[in-house]
């Protein structure tokens, strides 16, 4: 048997097939084995452990999504507050002030002016 890479998740189809096999085994009344890892009790314990861990994972994913949403909203609120502050600084001190430059705005006098392109006279 090849070595198993337990760092990757099993595809949902494989887990579904395993659960179907487990449910099918429960209909076999005469199942007995000397292998401890394949015993019905061990299979039941492994199945319950899987369900418990999946439930815990789903609960933590829901908490993670809620925390990510809260962080995203807080980031937007902060960004909008910064934009409002920049508007206030521009209004109070002017767009060509050192204060405007201090909050990250470009001074109006530092902006490059557009240069006109000379038009060539077309000979007709």
């Amino acid at each position: 048997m090849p070595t198993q890479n337990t760092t990757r998740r099993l595809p949902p189809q494989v887990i579904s097939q395993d659960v179907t096999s487990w449910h099918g085994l429960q209909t076999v009344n005469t199942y007995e084995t000397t292998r401890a890892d394949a015993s019905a009790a061990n299979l039941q314990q492994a199945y319950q452990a899987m369900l418990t861990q999946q439930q815990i994972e789903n609960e933590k994913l829901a908490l993670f999504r809620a925390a990510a949403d809260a962080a995203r909203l807080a980031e937007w609120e902060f960004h909008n507050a910064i934009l409002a502050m920049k508007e206030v600084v521009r209004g109070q001190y002017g767009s060509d002030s050192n204060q405007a430059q201090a909050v990250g705005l470009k001074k109006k006098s530092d902006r490059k002016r557009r240069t006109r392109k000379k038009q060539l006279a077309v000979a007709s």
Side-chain angles (χ1 to χ4, degrees):
M1 180 179 247
T3 58
Q4 296 177 340
N5 182 2
T6 58
T7 59
R8 66 170 178 79
R9 298 291 297 258
L10 287 171
Q13 182 181 4
V14 171
I15 294 173
S16 178
Q17 289 171 349
D18 290 346
V19 170
T20 301
S21 296
W22 166 240
H23 290 303
L25 179 68
Q26 290 176 328
T27 64
V28 179
N29 297 330
T30 59
Y31 178 75
E32 293 288 328
T33 183
T34 56
R35 289 185 58 179
D37 60 338
S39 70
N42 187 53
L43 290 169
Q44 177 65 35
Q45 178 190 6
Y47 178 66
Q48 288 302 320
M50 180 189 71
L51 292 178
T52 301
Q53 292 302 318
Q54 286 176 338
Q55 180 180 353
I56 291 169
E57 178 188 27
N58 288 334
E59 290 168 358
K60 289 185 179 184
L61 277 174
L63 291 173
F64 169 76
R65 288 183 189 119
D69 286 345
R72 180 182 43 80
L73 290 174
E75 289 166 356
W76 274 104
E77 287 176 14
F78 176 69
H79 177 68
N80 288 333
I82 291 296
L83 292 177
M85 175 270 302
K86 286 181 179 182
E87 287 180 21
V88 168
V89 168
R90 190 179 300 130
Q92 281 183 348
Y93 301 104
S95 58
D96 200 32
S97 67
N98 290 334
Q99 292 85 352
Q101 189 176 21
V103 297
L105 297 172
K106 193 168 191 174
K107 280 186 167 184
K108 196 172 191 175
S109 60
D110 290 343
R111 295 187 185 273
K112 287 186 179 179
R113 292 189 177 185
R114 296 179 79 189
T115 57
R116 279 192 158 183
K117 294 182 181 179
K118 293 183 182 180
Q119 291 184 349
L120 298 175
V122 179
S124 24

